[in-house]
Amino acid sequence: MALLQNNFPTFLQGFGYTLLSSIIALIGSMILGTGFAIMQIVPQKWIQKIGNIYVQVFRNIPLLIITFFFFLVVSKYIKMSGFTSGTVALMLYTSAFIAETVRAGILAVNTGQMEGARANGLSFAQAMRYIVLPQAFRISLPSLGNQFINLVKNSSILAFVGGLDLMYQGNMIAANTFDTFSTYIIVAIFYLILTLPLSYYIQHLERKLKRAA
Amino acid sequence: MSMIEFKNVEKYYGDFHALKNVNLKIDEGETVVLIGPSGSGKSTLIRTVNGLEEIQEGQLLVNGFDLHDPKTDMNRIRKNVGMVFQHFNLYDNKTTLENIMLAPRLVLKRDEAENKKIAMELLEKVGLADKAANMPSELSGGQKQRAAIARSLAMRPKALLFDEPTSALDPEMVGDVLDVMRDIAKDSSMTMLVVTHEMSFAKAVADRVIFMADGQVLEDSTTQEFFDSPKEARAQQFLSQVEHH
Ligand SMILES: Nc1ncnc2c1ncn2[C@@H]1O[C@H](COP(=O)(O)OP(=O)(O)OP(=O)(O)O)[C@@H](O)[C@H]1O
Ligand SMILES: [Mg+2]
């Protein structure tokens, strides 16, 4: 407890950066992931190919390597901090998984929904936006929830590039106080403060959408 | 003026020849019933008319535009040509009212108050005013199909395509849907192309009957001619089969 009291501002700062990174990466990866999911199901073969290559590349490389790539290589050309490198890497990495999840959701929506919409005069984009995607998100909500929770936990890679996040501050505090055990318990609790409400919120949404259907 | 015209149309699914040299003319305001055995290409034919299936050869003129011309804007064709499906294809994530209002709002940019008024009138017309706020999953098959018809009508189309609109319905629901269709057919400016096995509907409503088999149009006659004295042996055989049902 004294450990928490003495280092509270530091923990809190780490918590803030983890939260910020998670929110940015979550929003970004949802947008990118949905975009690449749609690219993989449009009629044009070459667009499908690009979408598929993107997903395969980012899904099959360890997140840490993507992070180092941005921190060590890209940052030579575009100035960016450890926090930015880590957040961008996290966003791209997660977006590949989200693309797969959303794509599976789109494929699970009855093809009659798209046909009905097109026959009704909607463009492909309108049919996607108003009819297919809302149903696809609902179908993929449980696995999207998993991706979001993984994302929050994976944000701990920021620690490897001086990202000032919860894990980074935890490492610092543990090194200074030598109280490794208590420090990481506190760090774990801070992660739970983020992930548990997220889990419950997703479960709540699932139930709510099930009732609406 | 012809609303729909097929000129030497060929359609393939890969190697499979689904439409063979189809020539067909449907005038504005006509009601035409398309019949034929299963697998003869009825759905394929009707789906080419609003571009849900592409043709490989020939010309297909709809409302004056050639669908085989890559420059033709398919969305513009679909504004004028509605379609009613065997399995309804209502938007599962929208209420009945929203199903009807969505396309006019997005595609025609119809004013919201006007849109709602028209949608409610249509729901009234198909007997579903009390289901406006319900989701499709809460409707019976017959109600779904009437909602789907209302959705098509809301676009104020020049032509309506029906692909076996009553085949997925329980027998006691069929009558209500056919009544609605009969009502639409009375509008002298509406062009209707209907795939159906309901011969009584065809006899009562159709101006013409087209009989297909193996991807070919074998017979194209007035309704009376077709039912009184079908020319083709296969059409005779088909008729005796469906009439025994
Ligand atoms: N997407 C497709 N790919 C390949 N073949 C197809 C496809 N759609 C239809 N066919 C084939 O084309 C032929 C005509 O099919 P179509 O659905 O137009 O027949 P139909 O007259 O509507 O039959 P039904 O009365 O059973 O609905 C069939 O032999 C069918 O197997
Ligand atoms: Mg069919």
Side-chain angles (χ1 to χ4, degrees):
Chain A
M1 268 308 107
L3 180 83
L4 179 59
Q5 262 166 12
N6 295 339
N7 298 285
F8 193 70
T10 319
F11 276 122
L12 207 60
Q13 194 201 28
F15 180 78
Y17 275 107
T18 291
L19 181 65
L20 183 64
S21 171
S22 297
I23 290 173
I24 294 170
L26 193 149
I27 293 170
S29 62
M30 267 310 281
I31 294 170
L32 279 177
T34 304
F36 282 102
I38 293 171
M39 281 176 75
Q40 289 182 85
I41 52 127
V42 298
Q44 294 83 350
K45 288 275 180 291
W46 66 274
I47 297 181
Q48 287 183 12
K49 194 89 213 152
I50 295 174
N52 192 253
I53 290 172
Y54 175 89
V55 168
Q56 294 308 341
V57 166
F58 283 103
R59 197 170 64 147
N60 292 306
I61 298 176
L63 172 57
L64 192 55
I65 294 185
I66 304 173
T67 305
F68 279 143
F69 176 75
F70 278 94
F71 188 61
L72 301 173
V73 182
V74 178
S75 65
K76 278 191 188 142
Y77 306 97
I78 308 166
K79 243 180 104 60
M80 60 171 87
S81 63
F83 177 81
T84 308
S85 314
T87 303
V88 169
L90 183 62
M91 177 173 85
L92 298 182
Y93 176 79
T94 310
S95 74
F97 289 90
I98 288 182
E100 280 306 273
T101 307
V102 172
R103 188 178 70 102
I106 292 172
L107 294 179
V109 174
N110 190 319
T111 53
Q113 296 290 306
M114 178 55 98
E115 275 193 352
R118 297 309 303 274
N120 201 198
L122 270 60
S123 66
F124 178 85
Q126 288 171 329
M128 263 296 156
R129 168 156 174 221
Y130 294 99
I131 306 302
V132 178
L133 277 181
Q135 296 182 50
F137 285 139
R138 181 156 86 197
I139 293 168
S140 37
L141 193 62
S143 42
L144 282 177
N146 283 337
Q147 307 296 350
F148 295 160
I149 288 162
N150 280 339
L151 180 145
V152 174
K153 294 187 293 180
N154 285 340
S155 69
S156 58
I157 48 96
L158 286 176
F160 286 94
V161 289
L164 307 176
D165 68 314
L166 199 47
M167 196 59 162
Y168 174 87
Q169 302 295 12
N171 291 343
M172 290 299 162
I173 294 164
N176 290 334
T177 60
F178 302 107
D179 193 349
T180 319
F181 184 72
S182 309
T183 305
Y184 287 117
I185 292 276
I186 293 169
V187 168
I189 290 170
F190 272 111
Y191 275 110
L192 284 175
I193 291 174
L194 286 177
T195 49
L196 280 184
L198 188 59
S199 294
Y200 282 120
Y201 180 65
I202 302 245
Q203 277 175 15
H204 166 79
L205 262 187
E206 274 174 48
R207 275 196 298 271
K208 202 173 104 183
L209 289 173
K210 201 171 270 165
R211 250 181 283 126
Chain B
M1 201 195 111
S2 75
M3 180 70 204
I4 300 167
E5 187 169 359
F6 286 75
K7 291 184 184 170
N8 302 316
V9 168
E10 311 281 350
K11 158 82 192 166
Y12 296 85
Y13 290 113
D15 287 337
F16 182 76
H17 202 170
L19 293 181
K20 297 171 186 159
N21 191 38
V22 171
N23 285 284
L24 207 61
K25 221 172 126 169
I26 299 173
D27 283 334
E28 214 174 304
E30 260 192 309
T31 299
V32 175
V33 163
L34 177 56
I35 63 176
S38 180
S40 56
K42 305 180 298 292
S43 296
T44 304
L45 186 146
I46 206 169
R47 287 161 59 87
T48 59
V49 177
N50 67 351
L52 288 181
E53 299 290 351
E54 280 181 15
I55 62 170
Q56 276 70 48
E57 306 259 354
Q59 268 189 314
L60 173 46
L61 301 170
V62 177
N63 198 23
F65 296 96
D66 183 3
L67 298 203
H68 198 196
D69 182 346
K71 287 197 288 291
T72 300
D73 176 5
M74 208 51 82
N75 292 329
R76 192 163 148 191
I77 302 283
R78 292 189 181 121
K79 262 198 245 181
N80 292 311
V81 182
M83 180 151 185
V84 175
F85 298 85
Q86 182 175 0
H87 294 108
F88 331 119
N89 296 359
L90 286 174
Y91 306 139
D92 288 338
N93 60 331
K94 303 277 180 199
T95 62
T96 307
L97 185 65
E98 261 303 304
N99 261 275
I100 298 172
M101 292 173 66
L102 186 70
R105 182 189 302 132
L106 294 179
V107 181
L108 306 178
K109 318 275 180 230
R110 186 177 286 159
D111 165 75
E112 194 63 16
E114 167 93 351
N115 194 10
K116 182 150 186 195
K117 186 168 149 271
I118 292 173
M120 284 310 298
E121 281 168 9
L122 284 168
L123 280 177
E124 198 83 50
K125 180 172 163 171
V126 301
L128 289 177
D130 56 330
K131 299 290 180 191
N134 289 87
M135 301 301 282
S137 59
E138 297 164 339
L139 304 183
S140 74
Q143 291 170 336
K144 280 183 196 166
Q145 196 58 298
R146 283 180 280 144
I149 293 172
R151 178 176 73 177
S152 301
L153 288 174
M155 293 295 283
R156 300 257 155 93
K158 292 189 170 160
L160 273 180
L161 311 170
F162 295 83
D163 190 0
E164 303 204 28
T166 58
S167 297
L169 302 180
D170 291 337
E172 69 270 22
M173 308 266 180
V174 170
D176 290 343
V177 171
L178 291 180
D179 284 345
V180 169
M181 290 170 61
R182 208 167 279 145
D183 223 41
I184 300 169
K186 279 192 202 129
D187 174 356
S188 61
S189 64
M190 179 67 81
T191 310
M192 283 168 75
L193 178 56
V194 185
V195 176
T196 184
H197 295 296
E198 299 289 334
M199 291 303 135
S200 57
F201 173 82
K203 279 179 193 162
V205 181
D207 300 308
R208 253 162 68 206
V209 175
I210 291 164
F211 177 78
M212 282 186 83
D214 296 328
Q216 283 174 300
V217 172
L218 290 188
E219 186 151 351
D220 180 352
S221 334
T222 64
T223 306
Q224 186 160 17
E225 262 178 345
F226 183 81
F227 286 108
D228 290 352
S229 50
K231 293 189 275 280
E232 288 284 332
R234 296 205 53 177
Q236 289 163 11
Q237 195 192 341
F238 180 80
L239 271 182
S240 68
Q241 270 169 11
V242 287
E243 300 205 316
H244 283 150
H245 271 264

